[in-house]
Amino acid sequence: MKVIDPHIHMVSRTTDDYLALAINGIHTITEPAFWAGFDRRGVDGFHDYFHHLTVTEPARAARFNIKHYCWIGLNSKEAENQKLAGEVLRIIPEYLDRPTVLGLGEIGLNKNSRNEINVLEMQLEIAAKRNELVLIHTPHLEDKLKGTRIIMDMVLNEKRIKPSRVLIDHAEEHTIGEIKEKGFWFGLTLYPNSKGSPERAVDAVEAYGSDNICINSSADWSVSDPLATVKCANEMRRRGHPEALIQKVFYENPKAFLSQCPKFKAG
Amino acid sequence: MENSPMPAKQALELYFLDNRARLLEIASFLDRIDRYKDSAAAKDDFRYKSFMKALKLIIGTEKDRTINVQLLFSDLTAEPIESAAGLKAFGAWEGTFSEGN
Ligand SMILES: [Zn+2]
């Protein structure tokens, strides 16, 4: 089967992981810009990171015939330093022009602070002006519901951005209903220990239907699994779901969302 | 709804042992809190209280157990906070136990 993982952080993974993706049918991936695990000291750190995302990783992926796309943005965890945030926002457009960049992401909220909201607002302005796709990071744990609601209000107030061109990621049971109702795409993240399991992700497909859903591994530098998507597909299979439905969730859906950016071609 | 064609009895068979093990993990976690020193301080923590309330919610409701547990652990306010500097997430919300909730 063919799988697209729309959210995976390959800068944090080994080349062995590229081989594992390739031999398991994951031939197209998209990598959002995110937090490095520490706050970067200056704008040069972001130049290097965006170069890594737009030049180094696509080349590393190509050796395994994997198509690597990315998203450029300033993550919410680095929004409290407003001076640096302003400098980073100024360099974002030059990277958005690069051939494998699909839009702004992952941008959003972490603790739902005013500085985070301010930085998100400025990035939504860039997205609106350039008609870019948007990949949204929602807060984890107790902050998720509140943050998801604030983000959705902000996007819906920006009339130039259509909800159908925004994917709200890291959705969970208590946020899926509201996200779907407002016309956004939503992502479910499979993360051992702290986020969703394959069982709960398939429960969500069963409870909310298979439209507008994308399932991702979000594999990064923490405890995570780059093969989580195919393992979740297998969970659907073991419950007796038809192959066509599995293909829709793990390939056709992300392809449909991502293809709204003309640079995207699924492998 | 796109439910699996699997009958509930078969789902029970498929997932019983995994979830039996998870239940024993929870029992063991709570025993550990009981057994360790200063147990009362841990039990006074909002995370412990939320956890116990969640267990009651799971057995006390007939549907939407997952959503109800998620809501119990969520910050239900709407106002942004002033600054996130130095803050982290806990997995439960202290406000659940303040007046009015
Ligand atoms: Zn991520």
Side-chain angles (χ1 to χ4, degrees):
Chain A
M1 86 175 285
K2 293 213 286 188
V3 170
I4 296 171
D5 191 340
H7 189 146
I8 186 165
H9 298 287
M10 293 310 293
V11 302
S12 311
R13 310 297 312 188
T14 64
T15 302
D16 291 348
D17 287 338
Y18 272 114
L19 176 62
L21 292 174
I23 62 180
N24 282 283
I26 307 168
H27 296 137
T28 311
I29 54 177
T30 90
E31 172 159 4
F34 83 141
W35 190 55
F38 62 93
D39 291 347
R40 295 168 182 93
R41 276 180 294 181
V43 71
D44 283 350
F46 285 89
H47 273 296
D48 287 342
Y49 180 45
F50 297 156
H51 175 87
H52 196 164
L53 289 175
T54 54
V55 177
T56 313
E57 289 307 323
R60 206 156 72 107
R63 289 176 58 202
F64 298 89
N65 202 26
I66 291 173
K67 288 181 181 239
H68 179 286
Y69 293 92
C70 73
W71 305 77
I72 294 295
L74 175 63
N75 72 87
S76 47
K77 277 181 84 78
E78 288 174 277
E80 292 301 325
N81 182 343
Q82 293 271 294
K83 185 177 166 284
L84 176 56
E87 291 171 29
V88 176
L89 295 197
R90 277 192 290 282
I91 69 165
I92 283 176
E94 74 178 81
Y95 290 96
L96 288 172
D97 288 335
R98 294 198 169 182
T100 55
V101 181
L102 302 177
L104 272 291
E106 54 190 300
I107 59 171
L109 300 177
N110 178 52
K111 286 298 295 177
N112 307 322
S113 76
R114 295 198 188 279
N115 284 338
E116 292 171 11
I117 289 171
N118 187 27
V119 168
L120 174 59
E121 203 161 45
M122 291 190 282
Q123 296 193 87
L124 289 176
E125 172 61 30
I126 298 174
K129 217 189 279 171
R130 297 176 49 107
N131 193 29
E132 300 280 356
L133 290 181
V134 178
L135 180 66
I136 292 284
H137 168 93
T138 54
H140 300 300
L141 303 168
E142 72 269 26
D143 303 308
K144 182 177 300 295
L145 179 69
K146 175 176 173 177
T148 303
R149 286 176 173 165
I150 295 174
I151 292 164
M152 289 194 296
D153 283 348
M154 290 173 69
V155 177
L156 293 171
N157 279 331
E158 175 47 82
K159 298 291 176 219
R160 292 171 292 173
I161 301 178
K162 287 202 202 95
S164 60
R165 293 176 55 83
V166 179
L167 187 142
I168 300 192
D169 217 332
H170 316 314
E172 288 186 24
E173 292 86 352
H174 55 320
T175 59
I176 296 170
E178 291 181 32
I179 296 172
K180 231 185 145 170
E181 199 177 286
K182 293 182 163 71
F184 295 99
W185 284 77
F186 66 101
L188 298 181
T189 295
L190 304 161
Y191 214 64
N193 309 337
S194 56
K195 296 171 198 163
S197 63
E199 289 87 347
R200 275 172 56 210
V202 179
D203 287 337
V205 174
E206 293 176 350
Y208 294 94
S210 58
D211 292 342
N212 286 24
I213 186 173
C214 292
I215 296 181
N216 63 74
S217 70
S218 225
D220 57 18
W221 39 258
S222 191
V223 179
S224 50
D225 179 4
L227 298 182
T229 51
V230 283
K231 290 177 184 171
C232 187
N234 201 52
E235 171 65 17
M236 269 187 90
R237 199 169 289 122
R238 128 171 133 136
R239 291 191 192 181
H241 285 290
E243 235 17 74
L245 186 66
I246 301 172
Q247 194 66 31
K248 179 185 175 193
V249 171
F250 291 93
Y251 186 76
E252 300 300 339
N253 278 0
K255 184 180 170 191
F257 173 72
L258 299 165
S259 296
Q260 295 182 90
C261 172
K263 295 178 198 169
F264 181 80
K265 297 277 177 292
Chain B
M1 291 274 275
E2 304 196 37
N3 263 348
S4 146
M6 183 184 284
K9 185 73 187 287
Q10 200 184 329
L12 176 72
E13 273 165 25
L14 191 56
Y15 298 105
F16 180 74
L17 284 180
D18 282 355
N19 287 287
R20 177 186 182 276
R22 288 182 180 126
L23 210 48
L24 289 167
E25 285 295 332
I26 292 172
S28 195
F29 162 60
L30 296 176
D31 282 346
R32 204 174 305 140
I33 305 268
D34 285 337
R35 198 170 72 239
Y36 281 13
K37 67 169 186 252
D38 300 331
S39 175
K43 288 178 179 175
D44 200 36
D45 189 287
F46 68 98
R47 287 166 293 186
Y48 183 88
K49 291 187 202 164
S50 296
F51 199 92
M52 299 309 272
K53 210 169 164 183
L55 292 177
K56 291 195 187 103
L57 255 180
I58 291 171
I59 51 169
T61 44
E62 291 289 310
K63 65 180 185 75
D64 296 332
R65 294 180 185 86
T66 318
I67 289 182
N68 287 331
V69 170
Q70 290 275 27
L71 293 175
L72 169 72
F73 287 134
S74 293
D75 176 352
L76 297 175
T77 64
E79 265 308 286
I81 59 169
E82 282 313 315
S83 166
L87 297 182
K88 61 168 192 150
F90 291 98
W93 181 51
E94 202 157 13
T96 306
F97 301 98
S98 60
E99 270 176 73
N101 283 295

